[in-house]
Amino acid sequence: MLEARIQHHFFETADLLNQVAEALSRPISEAAQAAVGCLTAGGKLLACGQGADADLAQWLCAALMLRFERERPSLAAMALGPALARPLGGQAGPAPELLLATQIGALGQPGDLLVVFAGLLSTDPALHAAVRAAHDKDMSVLLLTGGDPGPWPDLLAETDVWIPVASPRAPRVRELHLMALHTLCDAIDIQLLGEDEPA
């Protein structure tokens, strides 16, 4: 019984990958083009997420700053995260739902790209505020979501790219978001370095 259940997880992920491969190839391609356009113009990529999704933001920035599969110069990428709730001096800091937006307001510049890992958090006020802060800075947004899209479509601008994974299960969404990051990083490297030599 246990082995069958374990196999089911693999089969479920494989089925979902087959279902979304064609639908997500276009937005991931658009995301790669937006990232390369931003980075080659001297901009930077900021990434954020809540909870476990913040790990994906860290992973993406590490792959861009260090390397994905091939050696290349470091790319400007920074993961945003929790800030001090009470800064030095004793005054209260921004409300928790504004922490990411505050960082974007301080670090973001026109032409930068914000990558938001929303997972199943379609109504998270901190992520909504982050997207609005990016737009206020004339930044584009790359949004990765799962499950019910909720109000996300109404918050996105024409220059934004949306990668939605139609699954209500958080583990499947994160698996596909990681796969999307792998393909995104590969597409960025191909645009910057050309096709890699066959092994």
Side-chain angles (χ1 to χ4, degrees), residues 42-106:
K44 63 185 170 298
L45 185 147
L46 302 176
C48 66
Q50 297 279 62
D53 291 326
D55 293 341
L56 293 173
Q58 292 278 359
W59 185 96
L60 173 62
C61 292
L64 295 176
M65 289 185 69
L66 304 174
R67 60 172 293 186
F68 176 55
E69 289 187 300
R70 292 192 280 167
E71 294 294 337
R72 57 155 164 70
S74 294
L75 301 174
M78 176 186 295
L80 307 176
L84 292 174
R86 187 171 299 280
L88 297 176
Q91 296 88 1
E97 64 270 15
L98 297 178
L99 288 176
L100 293 172
T102 300
Q103 293 171 73
I104 293 164

Short mmCIF file of all heavy atoms in Angstrom, two decimals, residues 42-106:
data_model
loop_
_atom_site.label_atom_id
_atom_site.label_comp_id
_atom_site.label_asym_id
_atom_site.label_seq_id
_atom_site.Cartn_x
_atom_site.Cartn_y
_atom_site.Cartn_z
N GLY A 42 20.87 46.82 -17.54
CA GLY A 42 21.41 47.34 -16.30
C GLY A 42 20.46 47.28 -15.13
O GLY A 42 20.76 47.80 -14.05
N GLY A 43 19.32 46.61 -15.31
CA GLY A 43 18.36 46.48 -14.22
C GLY A 43 18.67 45.27 -13.37
O GLY A 43 19.66 44.56 -13.59
N LYS A 44 17.82 45.04 -12.40
CA LYS A 44 18.01 43.90 -11.50
C LYS A 44 16.69 43.19 -11.30
O LYS A 44 15.61 43.74 -11.54
CB LYS A 44 18.59 44.35 -10.16
CG LYS A 44 17.70 45.28 -9.37
CD LYS A 44 18.42 45.77 -8.12
CE LYS A 44 17.64 46.91 -7.45
NZ LYS A 44 17.50 48.10 -8.30
N LEU A 45 16.81 41.99 -10.84
CA LEU A 45 15.65 41.16 -10.56
C LEU A 45 15.49 41.06 -9.04
O LEU A 45 16.44 40.73 -8.34
CB LEU A 45 15.86 39.79 -11.19
CG LEU A 45 14.73 38.78 -11.13
CD1 LEU A 45 14.75 37.92 -12.38
CD2 LEU A 45 14.85 37.91 -9.89
N LEU A 46 14.31 41.39 -8.54
CA LEU A 46 13.96 41.21 -7.14
C LEU A 46 12.96 40.07 -7.07
O LEU A 46 12.07 39.96 -7.93
CB LEU A 46 13.35 42.48 -6.55
CG LEU A 46 14.21 43.75 -6.60
CD1 LEU A 46 13.43 44.94 -6.07
CD2 LEU A 46 15.50 43.55 -5.83
N ALA A 47 13.07 39.21 -6.07
CA ALA A 47 12.18 38.05 -5.97
C ALA A 47 11.67 37.93 -4.55
O ALA A 47 12.38 38.22 -3.59
CB ALA A 47 12.90 36.77 -6.38
N CYS A 48 10.42 37.47 -4.42
CA CYS A 48 9.84 37.32 -3.08
C CYS A 48 8.77 36.24 -3.08
O CYS A 48 8.24 35.85 -4.12
CB CYS A 48 9.25 38.63 -2.59
SG CYS A 48 7.82 39.23 -3.53
N GLY A 49 8.47 35.77 -1.89
CA GLY A 49 7.41 34.81 -1.66
C GLY A 49 7.17 34.74 -0.17
O GLY A 49 7.95 35.27 0.62
N GLN A 50 6.10 34.08 0.22
CA GLN A 50 5.76 33.92 1.63
C GLN A 50 5.96 32.46 2.04
O GLN A 50 5.63 31.55 1.27
CB GLN A 50 4.30 34.33 1.88
CG GLN A 50 4.02 35.80 1.58
CD GLN A 50 4.43 36.71 2.71
OE1 GLN A 50 5.59 36.78 3.06
NE2 GLN A 50 3.47 37.41 3.27
N GLY A 51 6.45 32.24 3.24
CA GLY A 51 6.60 30.87 3.74
C GLY A 51 7.54 30.07 2.87
O GLY A 51 8.63 30.52 2.50
N ALA A 52 7.11 28.86 2.49
CA ALA A 52 7.97 27.98 1.69
C ALA A 52 8.24 28.57 0.31
O ALA A 52 9.27 28.24 -0.31
CB ALA A 52 7.31 26.61 1.55
N ASP A 53 7.37 29.43 -0.18
CA ASP A 53 7.60 30.04 -1.49
C ASP A 53 8.80 30.98 -1.47
O ASP A 53 9.39 31.25 -2.51
CB ASP A 53 6.35 30.79 -1.97
CG ASP A 53 5.21 29.85 -2.30
OD1 ASP A 53 5.48 28.73 -2.79
OD2 ASP A 53 4.05 30.21 -2.06
N ALA A 54 9.15 31.49 -0.29
CA ALA A 54 10.34 32.34 -0.20
C ALA A 54 11.60 31.55 -0.56
O ALA A 54 12.58 32.13 -1.05
CB ALA A 54 10.45 32.93 1.20
N ASP A 55 11.59 30.25 -0.32
CA ASP A 55 12.74 29.42 -0.70
C ASP A 55 12.94 29.42 -2.21
O ASP A 55 14.08 29.37 -2.69
CB ASP A 55 12.56 27.98 -0.20
CG ASP A 55 12.60 27.89 1.32
OD1 ASP A 55 13.12 28.82 1.96
OD2 ASP A 55 12.10 26.89 1.85
N LEU A 56 11.85 29.44 -2.96
CA LEU A 56 11.98 29.48 -4.42
C LEU A 56 12.60 30.80 -4.86
O LEU A 56 13.40 30.83 -5.81
CB LEU A 56 10.61 29.28 -5.07
CG LEU A 56 9.98 27.90 -4.89
CD1 LEU A 56 8.56 27.88 -5.44
CD2 LEU A 56 10.82 26.83 -5.57
N ALA A 57 12.25 31.89 -4.18
CA ALA A 57 12.85 33.18 -4.50
C ALA A 57 14.35 33.14 -4.25
O ALA A 57 15.15 33.63 -5.07
CB ALA A 57 12.18 34.29 -3.68
N GLN A 58 14.76 32.55 -3.14
CA GLN A 58 16.18 32.41 -2.83
C GLN A 58 16.89 31.55 -3.88
O GLN A 58 18.00 31.87 -4.32
CB GLN A 58 16.36 31.78 -1.44
CG GLN A 58 15.91 32.65 -0.29
CD GLN A 58 16.97 33.66 0.12
OE1 GLN A 58 18.06 33.70 -0.44
NE2 GLN A 58 16.65 34.49 1.10
N TRP A 59 16.26 30.45 -4.25
CA TRP A 59 16.86 29.54 -5.23
C TRP A 59 17.08 30.25 -6.56
O TRP A 59 18.16 30.14 -7.17
CB TRP A 59 15.95 28.32 -5.43
CG TRP A 59 16.56 27.29 -6.31
CD1 TRP A 59 17.26 26.19 -5.93
CD2 TRP A 59 16.57 27.28 -7.75
NE1 TRP A 59 17.69 25.49 -7.04
CE2 TRP A 59 17.28 26.14 -8.17
CE3 TRP A 59 16.04 28.13 -8.72
CZ2 TRP A 59 17.48 25.83 -9.51
CZ3 TRP A 59 16.24 27.83 -10.06
CH2 TRP A 59 16.94 26.69 -10.45
N LEU A 60 16.06 31.00 -7.03
CA LEU A 60 16.18 31.69 -8.31
C LEU A 60 17.34 32.69 -8.27
O LEU A 60 18.16 32.74 -9.20
CB LEU A 60 14.88 32.40 -8.65
CG LEU A 60 14.92 33.31 -9.88
CD1 LEU A 60 15.25 32.52 -11.14
CD2 LEU A 60 13.61 34.07 -10.03
N CYS A 61 17.41 33.47 -7.22
CA CYS A 61 18.46 34.48 -7.13
C CYS A 61 19.84 33.84 -7.06
O CYS A 61 20.79 34.34 -7.65
CB CYS A 61 18.21 35.40 -5.94
SG CYS A 61 16.73 36.43 -6.19
N ALA A 62 19.97 32.72 -6.35
CA ALA A 62 21.25 32.02 -6.31
C ALA A 62 21.65 31.52 -7.69
O ALA A 62 22.81 31.62 -8.10
CB ALA A 62 21.18 30.87 -5.31
N ALA A 63 20.68 30.98 -8.44
CA ALA A 63 20.98 30.47 -9.79
C ALA A 63 21.40 31.59 -10.73
O ALA A 63 22.23 31.38 -11.62
CB ALA A 63 19.76 29.74 -10.34
N LEU A 64 20.84 32.78 -10.54
CA LEU A 64 21.21 33.91 -11.41
C LEU A 64 22.52 34.55 -10.98
O LEU A 64 23.36 34.88 -11.81
CB LEU A 64 20.08 34.95 -11.42
CG LEU A 64 18.76 34.49 -12.04
CD1 LEU A 64 17.70 35.58 -11.91
CD2 LEU A 64 18.95 34.10 -13.51
N MET A 65 22.72 34.70 -9.68
CA MET A 65 23.95 35.34 -9.21
C MET A 65 25.16 34.42 -9.35
O MET A 65 26.27 34.87 -9.63
CB MET A 65 23.80 35.77 -7.75
CG MET A 65 22.87 36.95 -7.55
SD MET A 65 22.85 37.51 -5.85
CE MET A 65 24.50 38.18 -5.72
N LEU A 66 24.98 33.14 -9.10
CA LEU A 66 26.09 32.20 -9.14
C LEU A 66 26.13 31.50 -10.50
O LEU A 66 26.86 31.88 -11.38
CB LEU A 66 25.97 31.22 -7.98
CG LEU A 66 25.89 31.90 -6.60
CD1 LEU A 66 25.63 30.88 -5.51
CD2 LEU A 66 27.15 32.71 -6.32
N ARG A 67 25.30 30.49 -10.66
CA ARG A 67 25.21 29.82 -11.95
C ARG A 67 24.03 28.87 -11.90
O ARG A 67 23.58 28.47 -10.84
CB ARG A 67 26.49 29.03 -12.26
CG ARG A 67 26.81 27.96 -11.24
CD ARG A 67 27.96 27.09 -11.65
NE ARG A 67 27.59 26.29 -12.82
CZ ARG A 67 28.37 25.35 -13.32
NH1 ARG A 67 29.53 25.10 -12.78
NH2 ARG A 67 27.99 24.65 -14.35
N PHE A 68 23.54 28.51 -13.09
CA PHE A 68 22.52 27.47 -13.19
C PHE A 68 23.23 26.17 -13.57
O PHE A 68 23.53 25.35 -12.72
CB PHE A 68 21.43 27.86 -14.18
CG PHE A 68 20.40 26.79 -14.40
CD1 PHE A 68 19.71 26.24 -13.33
CD2 PHE A 68 20.14 26.31 -15.67
CE1 PHE A 68 18.76 25.23 -13.51
CE2 PHE A 68 19.19 25.31 -15.87
CZ PHE A 68 18.51 24.77 -14.80
N GLU A 69 23.56 26.00 -14.84
CA GLU A 69 24.33 24.82 -15.26
C GLU A 69 25.66 25.20 -15.90
O GLU A 69 26.58 24.40 -15.92
CB GLU A 69 23.52 23.97 -16.25
CG GLU A 69 22.35 23.25 -15.61
CD GLU A 69 21.67 22.28 -16.56
OE1 GLU A 69 21.18 22.74 -17.63
OE2 GLU A 69 21.65 21.08 -16.26
N ARG A 70 25.75 26.41 -16.42
CA ARG A 70 26.96 26.81 -17.13
C ARG A 70 27.58 28.04 -16.47
O ARG A 70 26.89 28.84 -15.86
CB ARG A 70 26.62 27.15 -18.59
CG ARG A 70 26.20 25.93 -19.38
CD ARG A 70 26.16 26.25 -20.86
NE ARG A 70 24.93 26.95 -21.22
CZ ARG A 70 24.75 27.58 -22.38
NH1 ARG A 70 25.72 27.62 -23.27
NH2 ARG A 70 23.61 28.17 -22.65
N GLU A 71 28.90 28.17 -16.63
CA GLU A 71 29.59 29.34 -16.11
C GLU A 71 29.18 30.56 -16.93
O GLU A 71 29.10 30.50 -18.15
CB GLU A 71 31.11 29.14 -16.18
CG GLU A 71 31.63 28.04 -15.28
CD GLU A 71 31.45 28.34 -13.81
OE1 GLU A 71 31.34 29.54 -13.44
OE2 GLU A 71 31.41 27.38 -13.02
N ARG A 72 28.95 31.66 -16.23
CA ARG A 72 28.67 32.94 -16.88
C ARG A 72 28.85 34.02 -15.83
O ARG A 72 28.89 33.74 -14.63
CB ARG A 72 27.26 32.99 -17.48
CG ARG A 72 26.19 32.71 -16.47
CD ARG A 72 24.86 33.31 -16.83
NE ARG A 72 23.81 32.72 -16.07
CZ ARG A 72 23.61 32.89 -14.77
NH1 ARG A 72 24.46 33.61 -14.06
NH2 ARG A 72 22.60 32.31 -14.15
N PRO A 73 28.93 35.28 -16.26
CA PRO A 73 29.03 36.35 -15.27
C PRO A 73 27.79 36.38 -14.37
O PRO A 73 26.69 35.98 -14.77
CB PRO A 73 29.11 37.62 -16.13
CG PRO A 73 29.61 37.14 -17.45
CD PRO A 73 29.05 35.76 -17.63
N SER A 74 27.97 36.87 -13.15
CA SER A 74 26.85 36.98 -12.21
C SER A 74 25.81 37.95 -12.73
O SER A 74 26.14 38.97 -13.35
CB SER A 74 27.35 37.46 -10.85
OG SER A 74 28.19 36.50 -10.27
N LEU A 75 24.55 37.63 -12.48
CA LEU A 75 23.44 38.49 -12.86
C LEU A 75 22.85 39.12 -11.60
O LEU A 75 22.82 38.50 -10.54
CB LEU A 75 22.37 37.67 -13.60
CG LEU A 75 22.87 36.97 -14.87
CD1 LEU A 75 21.78 36.07 -15.44
CD2 LEU A 75 23.33 37.98 -15.90
N ALA A 76 22.40 40.35 -11.72
CA ALA A 76 21.92 41.11 -10.57
C ALA A 76 20.55 40.60 -10.13
O ALA A 76 19.54 40.83 -10.81
CB ALA A 76 21.84 42.60 -10.92
N ALA A 77 20.52 39.90 -9.00
CA ALA A 77 19.27 39.34 -8.49
C ALA A 77 19.33 39.34 -6.96
O ALA A 77 20.35 39.01 -6.37
CB ALA A 77 19.06 37.92 -9.01
N MET A 78 18.21 39.70 -6.33
CA MET A 78 18.15 39.77 -4.88
C MET A 78 16.81 39.25 -4.38
O MET A 78 15.76 39.66 -4.88
CB MET A 78 18.34 41.21 -4.41
CG MET A 78 18.19 41.39 -2.90
SD MET A 78 18.25 43.13 -2.42
CE MET A 78 19.91 43.54 -2.88
N ALA A 79 16.87 38.36 -3.41
CA ALA A 79 15.64 37.85 -2.79
C ALA A 79 15.26 38.77 -1.63
O ALA A 79 16.10 39.08 -0.77
CB ALA A 79 15.85 36.43 -2.29
N LEU A 80 14.02 39.19 -1.62
CA LEU A 80 13.49 40.00 -0.52
C LEU A 80 12.99 39.08 0.56
O LEU A 80 12.61 37.94 0.31
CB LEU A 80 12.36 40.90 -1.03
CG LEU A 80 12.70 41.77 -2.23
CD1 LEU A 80 11.46 42.53 -2.67
CD2 LEU A 80 13.83 42.73 -1.91
N GLY A 81 12.97 39.57 1.78
CA GLY A 81 12.51 38.71 2.87
C GLY A 81 12.04 39.50 4.05
O GLY A 81 11.91 40.73 3.99
N PRO A 82 11.78 38.81 5.15
CA PRO A 82 11.29 39.49 6.34
C PRO A 82 12.29 40.53 6.82
O PRO A 82 13.49 40.31 6.79
CB PRO A 82 11.16 38.35 7.38
CG PRO A 82 11.12 37.10 6.57
CD PRO A 82 11.92 37.37 5.33
N ALA A 83 11.79 41.66 7.21
CA ALA A 83 12.63 42.73 7.76
C ALA A 83 12.37 42.83 9.25
O ALA A 83 11.45 42.22 9.80
CB ALA A 83 12.30 44.06 7.07
N LEU A 84 13.20 43.60 9.93
CA LEU A 84 13.01 43.79 11.36
C LEU A 84 11.65 44.44 11.63
O LEU A 84 11.31 45.46 11.03
CB LEU A 84 14.12 44.69 11.93
CG LEU A 84 15.52 44.10 11.93
CD1 LEU A 84 16.52 45.15 12.37
CD2 LEU A 84 15.59 42.90 12.85
N ALA A 85 10.88 43.85 12.52
CA ALA A 85 9.59 44.43 12.85
C ALA A 85 9.76 45.72 13.65
O ALA A 85 8.91 46.60 13.59
CB ALA A 85 8.75 43.43 13.65
N ARG A 86 10.84 45.84 14.42
CA ARG A 86 11.11 47.05 15.20
C ARG A 86 12.54 47.50 14.89
O ARG A 86 13.49 46.96 15.43
CB ARG A 86 10.93 46.79 16.68
CG ARG A 86 11.03 48.05 17.52
CD ARG A 86 10.63 47.80 18.96
NE ARG A 86 9.27 47.35 19.09
CZ ARG A 86 8.20 48.13 19.08
NH1 ARG A 86 8.34 49.42 18.90
NH2 ARG A 86 7.00 47.64 19.23
N PRO A 87 12.69 48.49 13.99
CA PRO A 87 14.04 48.91 13.62
C PRO A 87 14.75 49.60 14.78
O PRO A 87 14.14 49.91 15.80
CB PRO A 87 13.78 49.88 12.47
CG PRO A 87 12.38 50.34 12.64
CD PRO A 87 11.65 49.22 13.32
N LEU A 88 16.06 49.82 14.60
CA LEU A 88 16.83 50.53 15.61
C LEU A 88 16.20 51.89 15.87
O LEU A 88 15.74 52.56 14.96
CB LEU A 88 18.28 50.69 15.14
CG LEU A 88 19.04 49.38 14.93
CD1 LEU A 88 20.43 49.68 14.38
CD2 LEU A 88 19.14 48.61 16.22
N GLY A 89 16.22 52.31 17.10
CA GLY A 89 15.59 53.58 17.45
C GLY A 89 14.27 53.36 18.15
O GLY A 89 13.71 54.28 18.72
N GLY A 90 13.74 52.13 18.10
CA GLY A 90 12.56 51.81 18.87
C GLY A 90 11.23 52.06 18.20
O GLY A 90 10.20 51.60 18.67
N GLN A 91 11.19 52.81 17.11
CA GLN A 91 9.91 53.05 16.47
C GLN A 91 9.40 51.77 15.81
O GLN A 91 10.18 50.93 15.39
CB GLN A 91 10.02 54.15 15.39
CG GLN A 91 10.39 55.51 15.93
CD GLN A 91 11.90 55.69 16.00
OE1 GLN A 91 12.65 54.80 15.63
NE2 GLN A 91 12.33 56.83 16.50
N ALA A 92 8.10 51.68 15.73
CA ALA A 92 7.49 50.52 15.07
C ALA A 92 7.80 50.57 13.58
O ALA A 92 7.78 51.64 12.97
CB ALA A 92 6.00 50.50 15.30
N GLY A 93 8.11 49.41 13.01
CA GLY A 93 8.36 49.33 11.58
C GLY A 93 7.04 49.26 10.82
O GLY A 93 5.96 49.40 11.39
N PRO A 94 7.12 49.05 9.52
CA PRO A 94 5.89 48.94 8.73
C PRO A 94 5.08 47.72 9.14
O PRO A 94 5.62 46.75 9.69
CB PRO A 94 6.40 48.82 7.29
CG PRO A 94 7.80 48.36 7.42
CD PRO A 94 8.32 48.88 8.71
N ALA A 95 3.80 47.77 8.87
CA ALA A 95 2.93 46.63 9.15
C ALA A 95 3.43 45.42 8.36
O ALA A 95 4.03 45.58 7.29
CB ALA A 95 1.50 46.96 8.76
N PRO A 96 3.22 44.19 8.88
CA PRO A 96 3.73 42.99 8.19
C PRO A 96 3.32 42.91 6.73
O PRO A 96 4.12 42.46 5.90
CB PRO A 96 3.14 41.84 9.01
CG PRO A 96 2.92 42.41 10.36
CD PRO A 96 2.56 43.85 10.15
N GLU A 97 2.11 43.34 6.41
CA GLU A 97 1.67 43.24 5.02
C GLU A 97 2.37 44.26 4.11
O GLU A 97 2.21 44.21 2.89
CB GLU A 97 0.15 43.40 4.92
CG GLU A 97 -0.39 44.74 5.35
CD GLU A 97 -0.74 44.80 6.84
OE1 GLU A 97 -0.31 43.91 7.60
OE2 GLU A 97 -1.46 45.73 7.22
N LEU A 98 3.15 45.17 4.69
CA LEU A 98 3.85 46.17 3.88
C LEU A 98 5.36 45.97 3.86
O LEU A 98 6.08 46.76 3.26
CB LEU A 98 3.54 47.59 4.40
CG LEU A 98 2.08 48.01 4.32
CD1 LEU A 98 1.89 49.40 4.91
CD2 LEU A 98 1.59 47.97 2.87
N LEU A 99 5.86 44.91 4.51
CA LEU A 99 7.31 44.71 4.58
C LEU A 99 7.93 44.52 3.20
O LEU A 99 8.97 45.11 2.89
CB LEU A 99 7.63 43.51 5.48
CG LEU A 99 7.41 43.73 6.98
CD1 LEU A 99 7.67 42.43 7.73
CD2 LEU A 99 8.29 44.83 7.51
N LEU A 100 7.33 43.68 2.37
CA LEU A 100 7.88 43.47 1.03
C LEU A 100 7.76 44.73 0.20
O LEU A 100 8.70 45.11 -0.52
CB LEU A 100 7.18 42.30 0.35
CG LEU A 100 7.41 40.92 0.97
CD1 LEU A 100 6.50 39.89 0.31
CD2 LEU A 100 8.87 40.51 0.85
N ALA A 101 6.61 45.39 0.28
CA ALA A 101 6.40 46.62 -0.49
C ALA A 101 7.41 47.69 -0.08
O ALA A 101 7.91 48.45 -0.93
CB ALA A 101 4.97 47.12 -0.29
N THR A 102 7.73 47.77 1.21
CA THR A 102 8.71 48.74 1.69
C THR A 102 10.09 48.46 1.08
O THR A 102 10.80 49.38 0.66
CB THR A 102 8.79 48.71 3.22
OG1 THR A 102 7.50 49.04 3.75
CG2 THR A 102 9.82 49.70 3.75
N GLN A 103 10.47 47.19 1.02
CA GLN A 103 11.76 46.83 0.42
C GLN A 103 11.79 47.16 -1.07
O GLN A 103 12.80 47.64 -1.59
CB GLN A 103 12.04 45.35 0.65
CG GLN A 103 12.27 45.00 2.11
CD GLN A 103 12.33 43.51 2.33
OE1 GLN A 103 13.31 42.87 1.96
NE2 GLN A 103 11.30 42.93 2.91
N ILE A 104 10.69 46.92 -1.74
CA ILE A 104 10.62 47.24 -3.18
C ILE A 104 10.71 48.74 -3.38
O ILE A 104 11.39 49.23 -4.28
CB ILE A 104 9.33 46.66 -3.79
CG1 ILE A 104 9.40 45.13 -3.77
CG2 ILE A 104 9.11 47.18 -5.21
CD1 ILE A 104 8.07 44.45 -3.99
N GLY A 105 10.03 49.49 -2.51
CA GLY A 105 10.10 50.94 -2.60
C GLY A 105 11.51 51.47 -2.41
O GLY A 105 11.91 52.46 -3.03
N ALA A 106 12.29 50.81 -1.54
CA ALA A 106 13.65 51.25 -1.28
C ALA A 106 14.64 50.78 -2.34
O ALA A 106 15.59 51.50 -2.66
CB ALA A 106 14.10 50.74 0.09
#
